[in-house]
Amino acid sequence: MTHEPYSASFRLILSSRAFRSAGLIFMALSLPLYLLVNRISIVNVGIIYVGTALSNVLLSLGIGMLGDRIGYKYSLIMGELPALLASGILSFTRSIPLIVIATIISGSAGAPGGMRGSFSVGITPYLARIWQDPSVRISKMANITFVASVASIGGSLLLYLHGFLSRIYGNEGAFVMLYHATFFLIMLSFISLMLIKRDQRQIKTTKFLRRETLHFSARVITTNIINGSAIGFSMALISAWFEIRYGVSASKIGLIFTISYLTTALGSFLAGRIHISRDKAVYFGSLTRVLQGALLIAMAASPYFILGSAIYIVRTVVAGFGTPIRNVVNIQGVKDEDLGTASSIQGAPSRIMQSTSGIAGYLMDYYPPLPVEIGGLIQMIGGFVYFRLLKKY
């Protein structure tokens, strides 16, 4: 396949990831805080995010399998619709039931890290269909995560602006004004995806997955179950955690995440510039996950906001470096015709296990450091399991 016709499409994808990241990051950071502002307890916020995680699973499974049959461009387009609908609802209503529904369909479950806007249903198989060389795939994915991480600053800056807008529009009104900006950003992402070149459709010879793909995916799924559980405990409600743990304002939380997105971009930049051989990719993917878990435990133990924030920022460098590497490793054993379904199947258990955010809400109400400590420990274990299961690939 000639790659040149897809150069313009890749630039459009980068534009989409930039707009999407700014909008989605603001929703991911602000929604837990917005729910608290609307007098919903942290326990109930955790329960609501269980619904968000399960909604993500159903969406990704359906769209992923459809993408194998009609093309991954359409997976990307359909995957953007829930965030577009959610930001529209948040922009034009203050109804508590509708706000809860918007939270559930928003796709904001999981960690609001700098790479949050990079990944949506179809992105990995779309790239893998066009670029076959693993080192090129890592470079392309690293470019995407770099752009998304830098653009995520826009989302955290929107949260930072909340403090200024609240003086004019009040606490709730400031959030509503910022959701208007979010709706506009997600719409620009949607339009960018509409303009990309359609990938050449692979002939699907099986109803579900080939045996080789299923065998490999089972290993990835095992690691994702562990890591998804860790994310649910430690990261799904992280913006609310900073407020409850340290008693800081939304603006200060926005500032910390602004810095963290710059450092995430730095990690992704390094991953794209350092040549990592195929046999070393699993090692680096595993090591970075172990380090992320250890840093979470250290952050939770910190009694000071500045120290805890600094540890979190260091963790984002590690995450930015490791994620594009693991993302490529996770499709090495997948047949071309299975890329969409396999990506969805591999990601589904992680999203399901992020429903541990429901438990995290209870634990946070009891003792704030506890859920983050549990999540960090689980993520460290997951790093060792990742290496054990995938080193042969």
Side-chain angles (χ1 to χ4, degrees):
M1 182 182 295
T2 302
H3 297 163
E4 190 60 34
Y6 288 90
S7 297
S9 292
F10 188 69
R11 289 193 291 270
L12 284 167
I13 287 174
L14 292 178
S15 298
S16 165
R17 300 304 93 174
F19 295 131
R20 184 177 195 269
S21 293
L24 201 63
I25 283 296
F26 176 70
M27 283 202 291
L29 289 173
S30 66
L31 278 171
L33 302 174
Y34 191 43
L35 293 170
L36 292 175
V37 165
N38 281 280
R39 298 176 180 83
I40 298 175
S41 70
I42 188 61
V43 173
N44 288 328
V45 170
I47 294 171
I48 290 168
Y49 268 80
V50 173
T52 307
L54 296 179
S55 173
N56 280 352
V57 172
L58 295 175
L59 177 74
S60 64
L61 284 175
I63 294 178
M65 288 188 283
L66 190 62
D68 282 338
R69 290 161 174 81
I70 66 174
Y72 302 125
K73 168 182 175 174
Y74 301 109
S75 296
L76 286 165
I77 291 170
M78 289 185 288
E80 210 73 355
L81 291 174
L84 189 63
L85 178 60
S87 58
I89 292 172
L90 293 166
S91 300
F92 298 107
T93 183
R94 296 193 185 187
S95 164
I96 299 299
L98 287 177
I99 291 170
V100 171
I101 291 171
T103 303
I104 291 173
I105 67 173
S106 65
S108 61
M115 294 162 295
R116 184 67 185 81
S118 305
F119 304 106
S120 60
V121 181
I123 188 65
T124 301
Y126 185 91
L127 296 177
R129 176 65 51 80
I130 299 164
W131 290 279
Q132 302 294 321
D133 188 300
S135 63
V136 175
R137 288 175 176 176
I138 290 177
S139 177
K140 294 292 183 184
M141 187 55 67
N143 287 337
I144 286 175
T145 54
F146 174 77
V147 168
S149 298
V150 173
S152 295
I153 295 169
S156 58
L157 286 176
L158 287 176
L159 186 60
Y160 180 71
L161 288 174
H162 176 271
F164 299 96
L165 292 176
S166 62
R167 299 171 190 171
I168 304 171
Y169 301 103
N171 206 355
E172 291 182 51
F175 277 117
V176 173
M177 292 298 297
L178 292 168
Y179 286 130
H180 278 85
T182 302
F183 178 72
F184 178 71
L185 290 166
I186 300 296
M187 178 63 75
L188 289 176
S189 175
F190 180 80
I191 293 171
S192 299
L193 294 175
M194 291 286 290
L195 297 175
I196 68 173
K197 182 178 175 64
R198 180 177 176 179
D199 51 297
Q200 293 185 8
R201 187 169 66 89
Q202 178 79 26
I203 301 301
K204 185 73 173 168
T205 62
T206 60
K207 291 183 178 180
F208 186 53
L209 292 175
R210 293 171 66 93
R211 182 177 298 178
E212 304 95 314
T213 298
L214 192 59
H215 178 73
F216 172 79
S217 294
R219 293 171 177 261
V220 178
I221 286 169
T222 301
T223 67
N224 284 348
I225 287 173
I226 298 171
N227 195 61
S229 175
I231 291 173
F233 272 111
S234 59
M235 297 298 294
L237 306 176
I238 191 65
S239 56
W241 183 83
F242 271 108
E243 180 182 293
I244 293 170
R245 176 76 166 107
Y246 300 112
V248 294
S249 66
S251 291
K252 286 186 178 180
I253 294 170
L255 182 60
I256 292 303
F257 278 91
T258 298
I259 299 169
S260 77
Y261 297 145
L262 281 171
T263 51
T264 302
L266 173 62
S268 298
F269 178 82
L270 292 174
R273 297 301 180 275
I274 299 174
H275 177 74
I276 299 173
S277 62
R278 183 177 297 193
D279 59 330
K280 294 294 185 183
V282 173
Y283 171 78
F284 280 106
S286 171
L287 178 62
T288 51
R289 187 163 277 178
V290 172
L291 288 174
Q292 285 175 249
L295 289 166
L296 277 176
I297 294 173
M299 180 184 78
S302 170
Y304 306 109
F305 173 66
I306 296 297
L307 178 59
S309 300
I311 295 171
Y312 179 79
I313 288 167
V314 172
R315 182 184 180 275
T316 62
V317 179
V318 179
F321 184 82
T323 299
I325 297 171
R326 286 191 298 271
N327 197 57
V328 172
V329 169
N330 291 355
I331 59 170
Q332 288 299 340
V334 176
K335 300 297 181 182
D336 278 355
E337 66 180 84
D338 296 328
L339 283 167
T341 303
S343 296
S344 297
I345 293 297
Q346 289 176 8
S350 175
R351 294 182 179 93
I352 291 173
M353 293 308 297
Q354 287 171 22
S355 60
T356 52
S357 61
I359 304 173
Y362 280 97
L363 296 177
M364 204 179 297
D365 190 49
Y366 171 70
Y367 180 60
L370 188 56
V372 177
E373 290 171 349
I374 293 173
L377 178 60
I378 294 173
Q379 191 164 55
M380 289 183 68
I381 294 170
F384 290 110
V385 173
Y386 187 88
F387 183 78
R388 181 63 180 254
L389 291 181
L390 297 178
K391 61 182 179 180
K392 65 176 286 188
Y393 291 92

